[in-house]
Amino acid sequence: MKKLLLTLITLSLTFLNASDLKVFENLKGTLNIAGGTAHIKCEKEAIKNIMRKYPDITISIAGGGSGIGIKQVSSKIIDLANSGRKPTQKEIKNGDLKLFRFAIDGIGVIVNPKLNIDSLTTKQLQDIFSGKITNFKELGLSNTPINLYTRDESSATRKVFWKRALKKSPISNKARVVSSNAAMKTAISKDENAIGIISLGVANDSVKLLNINGVKPTVENINNDSYNVARGLYLLSSGEPSKLASAYISYLRSNEGAKIVSKYGFIPINE
């Protein structure tokens, strides 16, 4: 009886997965995606599911930052762009962009786990990222220089953090610039005097997420609006998406897609 029950459960799960992947039936071809880096790990799992089920479909995904993705999809170099921010009206008009939001992501401040600090205020963040505070002794810690890390200007992670956490306070040009959320995680995990920013969907135990004004950067607090350093994750097409691109968007918004999105620390949405 137990064996039969397990078999039925397995068949049921297979059916559910097949049902969500059914949007790719009778489709084949190549789909090229690039842009924001917060999305990548989550989407790689979705892509793996798709290509395993439908070997005539090839999907590639690359980073570069949201700004680069928007430029590339507008020029039709790629089929879909990942963006961690809503494009400007000018970008939408110039690229004939169609927007498909599938998740919400928080952005957090991170330090090395060995650093004895758990929370920063908005004012402290403004002073640190502008370069006014350059030593941990000004935060009540040891007399050690702060190694400040940020993303490049094409990064939506940087842009949303600058707007929501820093209230548009300047970011020092002396900050070390890294190319992706994954690179940021690696850099901070290796530097005991580092402070940087990251997508919550990318952060793990190799770095320490700080509270902002005493509020923890959690999915629950993003949902109840007590932690507002958050943004939508978008897929963008130039003009109406192709059948293959449409199927990909639908899959990320399906029940199976929502499970993948949640698994990587994002809040799934379907709109």
Side-chain angles (χ1 to χ4, degrees):
M1 183 67 180
K2 187 180 289 186
K3 185 175 180 181
L4 176 61
L5 182 59
L6 287 172
T7 302
L8 289 172
I9 290 171
T10 302
L11 288 172
S12 176
L13 289 173
T14 302
F15 174 77
L16 285 172
N17 290 347
S19 177
D20 288 337
L21 285 166
K22 207 168 184 179
V23 290
F24 293 97
E25 278 192 2
N26 303 317
L27 295 178
K28 62 181 179 179
T30 301
L31 187 66
N32 295 311
I33 307 167
T37 63
H39 313 51
I40 290 179
K41 198 169 182 180
C42 162
E43 288 186 63
K44 276 186 174 180
E45 181 164 333
I47 290 167
K48 185 178 179 180
N49 291 347
I50 296 162
M51 291 175 59
R52 184 192 295 122
K53 178 74 175 175
Y54 298 99
D56 287 337
I57 294 173
T58 300
I59 304 174
S60 68
I61 188 166
S66 297
I68 298 299
I70 290 170
K71 288 179 182 177
Q72 289 184 340
V73 78
S74 297
S75 301
K76 300 188 185 298
I77 296 171
I78 57 176
D79 303 297
L80 288 174
N82 280 325
S83 181
R85 64 173 175 85
K86 189 174 183 179
T88 65
Q89 286 302 313
K90 184 178 180 180
E91 288 171 329
I92 292 171
K93 182 178 179 181
N94 289 345
D96 188 23
L97 299 180
K98 307 299 180 187
L99 283 59
F100 305 93
R101 190 169 70 148
F102 69 92
I104 295 173
D105 176 32
I107 298 168
V109 179
I110 52 171
V111 296
N112 187 280
K114 293 182 180 179
L115 197 62
N116 187 27
I117 189 170
D118 296 305
S119 185
L120 290 169
T121 65
T122 296
K123 182 64 167 61
Q124 287 173 323
L125 286 173
Q126 290 172 331
D127 288 347
I128 291 167
F129 277 85
S130 68
K132 185 176 179 181
I133 291 179
T134 59
N135 195 295
F136 284 109
K137 69 180 180 182
E138 298 174 78
L139 301 173
L141 302 176
S142 61
N143 183 9
T144 310
I146 293 172
N147 294 332
L148 181 63
Y149 290 78
T150 188
R151 295 285 308 282
D152 61 83
E153 293 188 5
S154 71
S155 163
T157 301
R158 171 179 169 140
K159 188 162 289 188
V160 174
F161 180 78
W162 168 75
K163 183 178 179 180
R164 292 186 174 271
L166 299 182
K167 312 299 181 186
K168 299 187 177 181
S169 176
I171 296 176
S172 172
N173 58 16
K174 294 182 180 179
R176 305 176 190 191
V177 177
V178 294
S179 61
S180 68
N181 280 286
M184 179 70 76
K185 181 173 61 178
T186 300
I188 303 298
S189 68
K190 293 181 177 180
D191 186 344
E192 293 184 17
N193 301 315
I195 291 181
I197 57 175
I198 200 168
S199 156
L200 297 189
V202 178
N204 61 19
D205 290 342
S206 69
V207 293
K208 183 196 288 187
L209 280 162
L210 300 185
N211 301 344
I212 297 179
N213 299 318
V215 181
K216 292 183 179 181
T218 64
V219 169
E220 181 182 359
N221 286 337
I222 292 170
N223 268 328
N224 65 30
D225 292 327
S226 59
Y227 188 89
N228 67 353
V229 189
R231 41 67 182 286
L233 296 183
Y234 296 87
L235 287 163
L236 312 174
S237 65
S238 179
E240 293 300 327
S242 67
K243 288 183 179 179
L244 184 53
S246 292
Y248 182 78
I249 294 164
S250 295
Y251 180 62
L252 281 181
R253 289 174 159 184
S254 71
N255 290 335
E256 181 66 21
K259 290 177 186 177
I260 297 170
V261 168
S262 298
K263 176 180 175 180
Y264 288 95
F266 305 124
I267 301 169
I269 57 175
N270 186 349
E271 58 179 24

